Amino acid sequence: MSKIVVTGGAGFIGSMLVRSLLANGAAEVIVLDDLSSGKRENLAGVGGARLEARDIRNYDAIAPVLAGAAVVYHLAAIPSVPRSIHDPIPSHDVNINGTFNVFRACAEGKVGRVVYAASSSAYGDTEALPKVESMPPNPMSPYAAQKLMGEYYASVFHTCFGVETVSLRFFNVYGPRQDPSSPYSGVLSLFNRAILDRRSPMIHGDGEQSRDFTYVEDVAELCIKAANAGPHVLGRVYNAGNGNRYTLNLVWEVLQKIEGVSVPPVYGPPREGDVRHSQADTAAAVRDLGHAPRFTLEEGLRLTLDWYRHNG
Ligand code: NAD
Ligand code: UD1
């Protein structure tokens, strides 16, 4: 039986990936997660998921869990742009030192393939849209720089140590189990919670900034495709987005329409380190990985709202 490990598998995207892997025929998936932002409840009722509560900053603790795996999906991270600005040391430790430990353990443990959760924040504020993998990166926050370093390590571990790696630049992912309880939470988790509570959301700036909001199941499917793709993808970086972009004002309009209510947003100052617009060029992922996102924004928002409605 081949061993599959998801680091960060108790988190928002990781727990959806674990579900998708099991639905695609995996007998067991090992979740390596220190439960710092991830939760056991995210895996509740998921038969076949086995939690190893370990910290990727501790090489000796994680090496035996990763050794011999057919595939490691590396998603464990502190995934917030503003947190990396307000409190950069923990983000650096986890996102760079922890990521190095994961790649090192995968090399020494002869892991078959590593799929790395990179970030579209690597592009920064480029004038040109959509963002294509060939554009020079321009990180605007410690988080973006850290995730970019992870891509470079993925590539170098392929060329220097022969580890099969693929990096996927996730664009703003949303969906069930995204935690809305922190000031650093993803904007759509906060918007979903606010509309259900009939509260105004706080929009940083004028709300005309845009993001390529991508439903979490589409991202999970692409991770699995990256693990199964041919050798032409190795050491490379691909956009993992939907290919569209929506302003925050428009998303709030859609949520009000779905819920049949009118709740004006509150506008505050723009956020430090914020990128203005983000949209993926998905051509390379479609061509090389068979990327085929299935969920429109409205479909994804309806599914997400239903989940929050029934799960607090
Ligand atoms: P999340 O916080 O829900 O998941 C991260 C997981 O990593 C959590 O379960 C957490 O407990 C775990 N973790 C954190 N530090 C750890 C450590 N030291 N050792 C072991 N586990 C640790 O966030 P998410 O949104 O699901 O993000 C998953 C990945 O996707 C991250 O790598 C993030 O950078 C990347 N990403 C996310 C988005 C997005 O829009 N959410 C976009 C681009 C990239
Ligand atoms: C998000 C991810 C990050 C990922 C990146 C890549 C989260 C928490 N962060 O960063 O991991 O690498 O996408 O695409 O998922 N905003 C508001 N009001 C709020 C919160 C946010 O207006 O209450 C605004 C922000 O200023 C920003 C936009 O919404 O303009 C998106 O913010 P956020 O959800 O934090 O995501 P990113 O910073 O894009």
PDB file of all heavy atoms in Angstrom, residues 79-81 119-121 143 170-172 178 184-187 190-191 202-204 209 211 248 271 274-275, ligand 2:
ATOM      1  N   PRO A  79      -0.189  30.812   7.014  1.00  0.00           N
ATOM      2  CA  PRO A  79      -0.519  31.307   5.670  1.00  0.00           C
ATOM      3  C   PRO A  79      -1.071  32.721   5.589  1.00  0.00           C
ATOM      4  O   PRO A  79      -1.902  32.994   4.749  1.00  0.00           O
ATOM      5  CB  PRO A  79      -1.592  30.305   5.226  1.00  0.00           C
ATOM      6  CG  PRO A  79      -2.323  29.983   6.488  1.00  0.00           C
ATOM      7  CD  PRO A  79      -1.334  30.131   7.616  1.00  0.00           C
ATOM      8  N   SER A  80      -0.581  33.643   6.416  1.00  0.00           N
ATOM      9  CA  SER A  80      -1.201  34.967   6.383  1.00  0.00           C
ATOM     10  C   SER A  80      -0.200  36.066   5.999  1.00  0.00           C
ATOM     11  O   SER A  80       0.889  36.164   6.580  1.00  0.00           O
ATOM     12  CB  SER A  80      -1.789  35.281   7.761  1.00  0.00           C
ATOM     13  OG  SER A  80      -2.011  36.655   7.897  1.00  0.00           O
ATOM     14  N   VAL A  81      -0.603  36.900   5.038  1.00  0.00           N
ATOM     15  CA  VAL A  81       0.214  38.055   4.645  1.00  0.00           C
ATOM     16  C   VAL A  81       0.349  39.028   5.825  1.00  0.00           C
ATOM     17  O   VAL A  81       1.478  39.341   6.247  1.00  0.00           O
ATOM     18  CB  VAL A  81      -0.393  38.754   3.396  1.00  0.00           C
ATOM     19  CG1 VAL A  81       0.303  40.076   3.121  1.00  0.00           C
ATOM     20  CG2 VAL A  81      -0.340  37.837   2.181  1.00  0.00           C
ATOM     21  N   SER A 119       2.331  30.105  -3.504  1.00  0.00           N
ATOM     22  CA  SER A 119       1.311  31.153  -3.384  1.00  0.00           C
ATOM     23  C   SER A 119       1.412  32.176  -4.511  1.00  0.00           C
ATOM     24  O   SER A 119       2.512  32.599  -4.887  1.00  0.00           O
ATOM     25  CB  SER A 119       1.482  31.879  -2.049  1.00  0.00           C
ATOM     26  OG  SER A 119       0.698  33.054  -2.038  1.00  0.00           O
ATOM     27  N   SER A 120       0.250  32.593  -4.975  1.00  0.00           N
ATOM     28  CA  SER A 120       0.199  33.636  -6.001  1.00  0.00           C
ATOM     29  C   SER A 120       0.719  34.968  -5.474  1.00  0.00           C
ATOM     30  O   SER A 120       0.981  35.877  -6.257  1.00  0.00           O
ATOM     31  CB  SER A 120      -1.237  33.821  -6.480  1.00  0.00           C
ATOM     32  OG  SER A 120      -2.036  34.229  -5.400  1.00  0.00           O
ATOM     33  N   SER A 121       0.875  35.074  -4.147  1.00  0.00           N
ATOM     34  CA  SER A 121       1.419  36.319  -3.596  1.00  0.00           C
ATOM     35  C   SER A 121       2.843  36.556  -4.113  1.00  0.00           C
ATOM     36  O   SER A 121       3.334  37.683  -4.063  1.00  0.00           O
ATOM     37  CB  SER A 121       1.395  36.288  -2.070  1.00  0.00           C
ATOM     38  OG  SER A 121       2.128  35.178  -1.598  1.00  0.00           O
ATOM     39  N   TYR A 143       5.623  36.931   4.028  1.00  0.00           N
ATOM     40  CA  TYR A 143       4.936  35.684   3.649  1.00  0.00           C
ATOM     41  C   TYR A 143       5.186  35.343   2.180  1.00  0.00           C
ATOM     42  O   TYR A 143       5.526  34.208   1.841  1.00  0.00           O
ATOM     43  CB  TYR A 143       3.430  35.827   3.918  1.00  0.00           C
ATOM     44  CG  TYR A 143       2.599  34.713   3.311  1.00  0.00           C
ATOM     45  CD1 TYR A 143       2.488  33.477   3.943  1.00  0.00           C
ATOM     46  CD2 TYR A 143       1.925  34.892   2.105  1.00  0.00           C
ATOM     47  CE1 TYR A 143       1.738  32.451   3.381  1.00  0.00           C
ATOM     48  CE2 TYR A 143       1.170  33.877   1.534  1.00  0.00           C
ATOM     49  CZ  TYR A 143       1.072  32.658   2.185  1.00  0.00           C
ATOM     50  OH  TYR A 143       0.337  31.647   1.625  1.00  0.00           O
ATOM     51  N   PHE A 170      -1.219  28.574  -5.392  1.00  0.00           N
ATOM     52  CA  PHE A 170      -2.651  28.716  -5.100  1.00  0.00           C
ATOM     53  C   PHE A 170      -3.018  30.196  -5.162  1.00  0.00           C
ATOM     54  O   PHE A 170      -2.305  31.046  -4.614  1.00  0.00           O
ATOM     55  CB  PHE A 170      -2.989  28.217  -3.690  1.00  0.00           C
ATOM     56  CG  PHE A 170      -2.727  26.760  -3.418  1.00  0.00           C
ATOM     57  CD1 PHE A 170      -2.891  26.266  -2.125  1.00  0.00           C
ATOM     58  CD2 PHE A 170      -2.350  25.870  -4.408  1.00  0.00           C
ATOM     59  CE1 PHE A 170      -2.668  24.930  -1.831  1.00  0.00           C
ATOM     60  CE2 PHE A 170      -2.118  24.526  -4.130  1.00  0.00           C
ATOM     61  CZ  PHE A 170      -2.274  24.059  -2.826  1.00  0.00           C
ATOM     62  N   PHE A 171      -4.148  30.476  -5.818  1.00  0.00           N
ATOM     63  CA  PHE A 171      -4.740  31.816  -5.766  1.00  0.00           C
ATOM     64  C   PHE A 171      -5.811  31.763  -4.670  1.00  0.00           C
ATOM     65  O   PHE A 171      -6.162  30.700  -4.222  1.00  0.00           O
ATOM     66  CB  PHE A 171      -5.303  32.196  -7.140  1.00  0.00           C
ATOM     67  CG  PHE A 171      -4.215  32.608  -8.103  1.00  0.00           C
ATOM     68  CD1 PHE A 171      -3.247  31.708  -8.514  1.00  0.00           C
ATOM     69  CD2 PHE A 171      -4.138  33.905  -8.561  1.00  0.00           C
ATOM     70  CE1 PHE A 171      -2.222  32.090  -9.377  1.00  0.00           C
ATOM     71  CE2 PHE A 171      -3.121  34.304  -9.432  1.00  0.00           C
ATOM     72  CZ  PHE A 171      -2.164  33.398  -9.837  1.00  0.00           C
ATOM     73  N   ASN A 172      -6.353  32.895  -4.275  1.00  0.00           N
ATOM     74  CA  ASN A 172      -7.171  32.943  -3.051  1.00  0.00           C
ATOM     75  C   ASN A 172      -8.214  31.825  -2.988  1.00  0.00           C
ATOM     76  O   ASN A 172      -9.195  31.845  -3.732  1.00  0.00           O
ATOM     77  CB  ASN A 172      -7.859  34.311  -2.944  1.00  0.00           C
ATOM     78  CG  ASN A 172      -6.847  35.412  -2.745  1.00  0.00           C
ATOM     79  OD1 ASN A 172      -5.969  35.604  -3.586  1.00  0.00           O
ATOM     80  ND2 ASN A 172      -6.946  36.104  -1.638  1.00  0.00           N
ATOM     81  N   GLN A 178     -12.804  26.890   6.080  1.00  0.00           N
ATOM     82  CA  GLN A 178     -11.852  28.010   6.215  1.00  0.00           C
ATOM     83  C   GLN A 178     -12.221  28.744   7.497  1.00  0.00           C
ATOM     84  O   GLN A 178     -13.379  29.128   7.680  1.00  0.00           O
ATOM     85  CB  GLN A 178     -11.948  28.951   5.008  1.00  0.00           C
ATOM     86  CG  GLN A 178     -10.851  30.010   5.000  1.00  0.00           C
ATOM     87  CD  GLN A 178     -10.778  30.779   3.681  1.00  0.00           C
ATOM     88  OE1 GLN A 178     -11.777  30.878   2.966  1.00  0.00           O
ATOM     89  NE2 GLN A 178      -9.618  31.316   3.361  1.00  0.00           N
ATOM     90  N   TYR A 184      -6.648  37.394  10.939  1.00  0.00           N
ATOM     91  CA  TYR A 184      -5.855  37.075   9.754  1.00  0.00           C
ATOM     92  C   TYR A 184      -6.596  36.134   8.802  1.00  0.00           C
ATOM     93  O   TYR A 184      -6.028  35.642   7.830  1.00  0.00           O
ATOM     94  CB  TYR A 184      -4.531  36.424  10.166  1.00  0.00           C
ATOM     95  CG  TYR A 184      -3.687  37.289  11.066  1.00  0.00           C
ATOM     96  CD1 TYR A 184      -3.249  36.825  12.296  1.00  0.00           C
ATOM     97  CD2 TYR A 184      -3.329  38.577  10.673  1.00  0.00           C
ATOM     98  CE1 TYR A 184      -2.465  37.619  13.122  1.00  0.00           C
ATOM     99  CE2 TYR A 184      -2.556  39.381  11.498  1.00  0.00           C
ATOM    100  CZ  TYR A 184      -2.125  38.903  12.718  1.00  0.00           C
ATOM    101  OH  TYR A 184      -1.356  39.683  13.526  1.00  0.00           O
ATOM    102  N   SER A 185      -7.868  35.853   9.097  1.00  0.00           N
ATOM    103  CA  SER A 185      -8.611  34.889   8.279  1.00  0.00           C
ATOM    104  C   SER A 185      -8.796  35.392   6.851  1.00  0.00           C
ATOM    105  O   SER A 185      -8.844  36.602   6.598  1.00  0.00           O
ATOM    106  CB  SER A 185      -9.995  34.650   8.899  1.00  0.00           C
ATOM    107  OG  SER A 185      -9.878  34.020  10.153  1.00  0.00           O
ATOM    108  N   GLY A 186      -8.950  34.435   5.931  1.00  0.00           N
ATOM    109  CA  GLY A 186      -9.186  34.777   4.528  1.00  0.00           C
ATOM    110  C   GLY A 186     -10.480  35.567   4.390  1.00  0.00           C
ATOM    111  O   GLY A 186     -11.459  35.335   5.098  1.00  0.00           O
ATOM    112  N   VAL A 187     -10.489  36.517   3.457  1.00  0.00           N
ATOM    113  CA  VAL A 187     -11.590  37.471   3.374  1.00  0.00           C
ATOM    114  C   VAL A 187     -12.944  36.781   3.148  1.00  0.00           C
ATOM    115  O   VAL A 187     -13.958  37.203   3.718  1.00  0.00           O
ATOM    116  CB  VAL A 187     -11.299  38.546   2.300  1.00  0.00           C
ATOM    117  CG1 VAL A 187     -11.323  37.983   0.885  1.00  0.00           C
ATOM    118  CG2 VAL A 187     -12.261  39.705   2.423  1.00  0.00           C
ATOM    119  N   LEU A 190     -14.569  35.499   6.268  1.00  0.00           N
ATOM    120  CA  LEU A 190     -15.138  36.604   7.057  1.00  0.00           C
ATOM    121  C   LEU A 190     -16.425  37.122   6.409  1.00  0.00           C
ATOM    122  O   LEU A 190     -17.412  37.409   7.096  1.00  0.00           O
ATOM    123  CB  LEU A 190     -14.111  37.734   7.175  1.00  0.00           C
ATOM    124  CG  LEU A 190     -12.808  37.344   7.899  1.00  0.00           C
ATOM    125  CD1 LEU A 190     -11.732  38.401   7.710  1.00  0.00           C
ATOM    126  CD2 LEU A 190     -13.080  37.146   9.389  1.00  0.00           C
ATOM    127  N   PHE A 191     -16.441  37.218   5.078  1.00  0.00           N
ATOM    128  CA  PHE A 191     -17.642  37.685   4.368  1.00  0.00           C
ATOM    129  C   PHE A 191     -18.806  36.699   4.577  1.00  0.00           C
ATOM    130  O   PHE A 191     -19.946  37.107   4.799  1.00  0.00           O
ATOM    131  CB  PHE A 191     -17.354  37.798   2.872  1.00  0.00           C
ATOM    132  CG  PHE A 191     -16.754  39.117   2.426  1.00  0.00           C
ATOM    133  CD1 PHE A 191     -16.068  39.940   3.304  1.00  0.00           C
ATOM    134  CD2 PHE A 191     -16.875  39.527   1.101  1.00  0.00           C
ATOM    135  CE1 PHE A 191     -15.515  41.146   2.876  1.00  0.00           C
ATOM    136  CE2 PHE A 191     -16.334  40.729   0.672  1.00  0.00           C
ATOM    137  CZ  PHE A 191     -15.653  41.538   1.553  1.00  0.00           C
ATOM    138  N   MET A 202     -15.861  44.372   7.052  1.00  0.00           N
ATOM    139  CA  MET A 202     -14.900  45.478   6.953  1.00  0.00           C
ATOM    140  C   MET A 202     -14.098  45.269   5.670  1.00  0.00           C
ATOM    141  O   MET A 202     -13.462  44.232   5.489  1.00  0.00           O
ATOM    142  CB  MET A 202     -13.979  45.461   8.183  1.00  0.00           C
ATOM    143  CG  MET A 202     -12.656  46.177   8.002  1.00  0.00           C
ATOM    144  SD  MET A 202     -12.817  47.926   7.657  1.00  0.00           S
ATOM    145  CE  MET A 202     -13.076  48.561   9.305  1.00  0.00           C
ATOM    146  N   ILE A 203     -14.182  46.244   4.783  1.00  0.00           N
ATOM    147  CA  ILE A 203     -13.408  46.164   3.540  1.00  0.00           C
ATOM    148  C   ILE A 203     -12.231  47.125   3.644  1.00  0.00           C
ATOM    149  O   ILE A 203     -12.422  48.312   3.938  1.00  0.00           O
ATOM    150  CB  ILE A 203     -14.296  46.491   2.313  1.00  0.00           C
ATOM    151  CG1 ILE A 203     -15.346  45.375   2.152  1.00  0.00           C
ATOM    152  CG2 ILE A 203     -13.450  46.663   1.063  1.00  0.00           C
ATOM    153  CD1 ILE A 203     -16.211  45.505   0.908  1.00  0.00           C
ATOM    154  N   HIS A 204     -11.024  46.593   3.441  1.00  0.00           N
ATOM    155  CA  HIS A 204      -9.820  47.437   3.479  1.00  0.00           C
ATOM    156  C   HIS A 204      -9.672  48.157   2.143  1.00  0.00           C
ATOM    157  O   HIS A 204      -9.551  47.511   1.108  1.00  0.00           O
ATOM    158  CB  HIS A 204      -8.577  46.589   3.734  1.00  0.00           C
ATOM    159  CG  HIS A 204      -8.608  45.858   5.041  1.00  0.00           C
ATOM    160  ND1 HIS A 204      -8.719  46.495   6.247  1.00  0.00           N
ATOM    161  CD2 HIS A 204      -8.561  44.536   5.334  1.00  0.00           C
ATOM    162  CE1 HIS A 204      -8.723  45.624   7.225  1.00  0.00           C
ATOM    163  NE2 HIS A 204      -8.646  44.406   6.702  1.00  0.00           N
ATOM    164  N   GLN A 209     -10.212  46.268  -5.167  1.00  0.00           N
ATOM    165  CA  GLN A 209      -9.144  45.283  -5.392  1.00  0.00           C
ATOM    166  C   GLN A 209      -9.815  43.954  -5.769  1.00  0.00           C
ATOM    167  O   GLN A 209     -10.955  43.687  -5.374  1.00  0.00           O
ATOM    168  CB  GLN A 209      -8.246  45.125  -4.147  1.00  0.00           C
ATOM    169  CG  GLN A 209      -8.877  44.528  -2.908  1.00  0.00           C
ATOM    170  CD  GLN A 209      -9.399  45.587  -1.953  1.00  0.00           C
ATOM    171  OE1 GLN A 209     -10.127  46.483  -2.362  1.00  0.00           O
ATOM    172  NE2 GLN A 209      -9.083  45.457  -0.674  1.00  0.00           N
ATOM    173  N   ARG A 211      -9.478  39.561  -6.707  1.00  0.00           N
ATOM    174  CA  ARG A 211      -8.769  38.311  -6.467  1.00  0.00           C
ATOM    175  C   ARG A 211      -9.358  37.217  -7.354  1.00  0.00           C
ATOM    176  O   ARG A 211     -10.542  37.258  -7.709  1.00  0.00           O
ATOM    177  CB  ARG A 211      -8.932  37.873  -4.995  1.00  0.00           C
ATOM    178  CG  ARG A 211      -8.258  38.777  -3.966  1.00  0.00           C
ATOM    179  CD  ARG A 211      -6.744  38.682  -4.040  1.00  0.00           C
ATOM    180  NE  ARG A 211      -6.060  39.448  -2.993  1.00  0.00           N
ATOM    181  CZ  ARG A 211      -5.739  40.735  -3.093  1.00  0.00           C
ATOM    182  NH1 ARG A 211      -6.056  41.425  -4.171  1.00  0.00           N
ATOM    183  NH2 ARG A 211      -5.088  41.336  -2.108  1.00  0.00           N
ATOM    184  N   LEU A 248     -13.838  42.763  -4.337  1.00  0.00           N
ATOM    185  CA  LEU A 248     -14.495  42.478  -3.058  1.00  0.00           C
ATOM    186  C   LEU A 248     -15.912  43.049  -3.067  1.00  0.00           C
ATOM    187  O   LEU A 248     -16.847  42.428  -2.543  1.00  0.00           O
ATOM    188  CB  LEU A 248     -13.697  43.076  -1.901  1.00  0.00           C
ATOM    189  CG  LEU A 248     -12.286  42.537  -1.686  1.00  0.00           C
ATOM    190  CD1 LEU A 248     -11.704  43.102  -0.404  1.00  0.00           C
ATOM    191  CD2 LEU A 248     -12.264  41.028  -1.643  1.00  0.00           C
ATOM    192  N   ARG A 271      -4.878  47.841   3.444  1.00  0.00           N
ATOM    193  CA  ARG A 271      -3.999  47.006   4.266  1.00  0.00           C
ATOM    194  C   ARG A 271      -2.569  47.028   3.720  1.00  0.00           C
ATOM    195  O   ARG A 271      -2.366  46.958   2.514  1.00  0.00           O
ATOM    196  CB  ARG A 271      -4.543  45.575   4.266  1.00  0.00           C
ATOM    197  CG  ARG A 271      -4.123  44.770   5.436  1.00  0.00           C
ATOM    198  CD  ARG A 271      -4.815  43.422   5.432  1.00  0.00           C
ATOM    199  NE  ARG A 271      -4.350  42.590   4.339  1.00  0.00           N
ATOM    200  CZ  ARG A 271      -4.795  41.367   4.107  1.00  0.00           C
ATOM    201  NH1 ARG A 271      -5.740  40.856   4.874  1.00  0.00           N
ATOM    202  NH2 ARG A 271      -4.324  40.655   3.121  1.00  0.00           N
ATOM    203  N   ASP A 274      -0.721  44.815   0.769  1.00  0.00           N
ATOM    204  CA  ASP A 274      -1.799  44.272  -0.054  1.00  0.00           C
ATOM    205  C   ASP A 274      -1.472  44.370  -1.539  1.00  0.00           C
ATOM    206  O   ASP A 274      -0.962  45.396  -1.997  1.00  0.00           O
ATOM    207  CB  ASP A 274      -3.074  45.080   0.221  1.00  0.00           C
ATOM    208  CG  ASP A 274      -4.281  44.204   0.460  1.00  0.00           C
ATOM    209  OD1 ASP A 274      -4.103  42.981   0.624  1.00  0.00           O
ATOM    210  OD2 ASP A 274      -5.402  44.739   0.488  1.00  0.00           O
ATOM    211  N   VAL A 275      -1.809  43.332  -2.257  1.00  0.00           N
ATOM    212  CA  VAL A 275      -1.706  43.340  -3.712  1.00  0.00           C
ATOM    213  C   VAL A 275      -3.027  43.907  -4.235  1.00  0.00           C
ATOM    214  O   VAL A 275      -4.086  43.651  -3.659  1.00  0.00           O
ATOM    215  CB  VAL A 275      -1.480  41.892  -4.201  1.00  0.00           C
ATOM    216  CG1 VAL A 275      -1.713  41.752  -5.674  1.00  0.00           C
ATOM    217  CG2 VAL A 275      -0.081  41.424  -3.812  1.00  0.00           C
TER     218      VAL A 275
HETATM  219  C1  UD1 B   2      -4.453  35.033   0.485  1.00  0.00           C
HETATM  220  C2  UD1 B   2      -4.068  33.929   1.458  1.00  0.00           C
HETATM  221  C3  UD1 B   2      -2.617  33.621   1.342  1.00  0.00           C
HETATM  222  C4  UD1 B   2      -2.330  33.288  -0.090  1.00  0.00           C
HETATM  223  C5  UD1 B   2      -2.736  34.431  -1.000  1.00  0.00           C
HETATM  224  C6  UD1 B   2      -2.506  34.039  -2.436  1.00  0.00           C
HETATM  225  C7  UD1 B   2      -5.444  33.793   3.426  1.00  0.00           C
HETATM  226  C8  UD1 B   2      -5.625  34.210   4.832  1.00  0.00           C
HETATM  227  N1  UD1 B   2      -4.373  34.328   2.807  1.00  0.00           N
HETATM  228  O1  UD1 B   2      -3.797  36.284   0.807  1.00  0.00           O
HETATM  229  O2  UD1 B   2      -2.287  32.484   2.129  1.00  0.00           O
HETATM  230  O3  UD1 B   2      -1.006  32.951  -0.282  1.00  0.00           O
HETATM  231  O4  UD1 B   2      -4.114  34.668  -0.803  1.00  0.00           O
HETATM  232  O5  UD1 B   2      -3.504  34.296  -3.273  1.00  0.00           O
HETATM  233  O6  UD1 B   2      -6.191  33.015   2.886  1.00  0.00           O
HETATM  234  N2  UD1 B   2      -9.714  42.074   3.190  1.00  0.00           N
HETATM  235  C9  UD1 B   2     -10.740  42.919   3.543  1.00  0.00           C
HETATM  236  N3  UD1 B   2     -11.368  42.704   4.736  1.00  0.00           N
HETATM  237  C10 UD1 B   2     -11.004  41.685   5.578  1.00  0.00           C
HETATM  238  C11 UD1 B   2      -9.943  40.832   5.208  1.00  0.00           C
HETATM  239  C12 UD1 B   2      -9.316  41.058   3.984  1.00  0.00           C
HETATM  240  O7  UD1 B   2     -11.085  43.848   2.826  1.00  0.00           O
HETATM  241  O8  UD1 B   2     -11.629  41.545   6.639  1.00  0.00           O
HETATM  242  C13 UD1 B   2      -9.067  42.286   1.889  1.00  0.00           C
HETATM  243  C14 UD1 B   2      -7.557  42.374   1.959  1.00  0.00           C
HETATM  244  O9  UD1 B   2      -7.118  43.684   2.265  1.00  0.00           O
HETATM  245  C15 UD1 B   2      -7.195  41.942   0.536  1.00  0.00           C
HETATM  246  C16 UD1 B   2      -8.290  40.905   0.185  1.00  0.00           C
HETATM  247  O10 UD1 B   2      -9.362  41.161   1.074  1.00  0.00           O
HETATM  248  O11 UD1 B   2      -7.280  43.021  -0.332  1.00  0.00           O
HETATM  249  C17 UD1 B   2      -7.839  39.466   0.354  1.00  0.00           C
HETATM  250  O12 UD1 B   2      -7.256  39.324   1.638  1.00  0.00           O
HETATM  251  P1  UD1 B   2      -6.950  37.883   2.270  1.00  0.00           P
HETATM  252  O13 UD1 B   2      -8.156  37.050   2.236  1.00  0.00           O
HETATM  253  O14 UD1 B   2      -6.256  38.111   3.565  1.00  0.00           O
HETATM  254  O15 UD1 B   2      -5.996  37.239   1.180  1.00  0.00           O
HETATM  255  P2  UD1 B   2      -4.594  37.653   0.565  1.00  0.00           P
HETATM  256  O16 UD1 B   2      -3.893  38.682   1.361  1.00  0.00           O
HETATM  257  O17 UD1 B   2      -4.838  37.915  -0.876  1.00  0.00           O
END
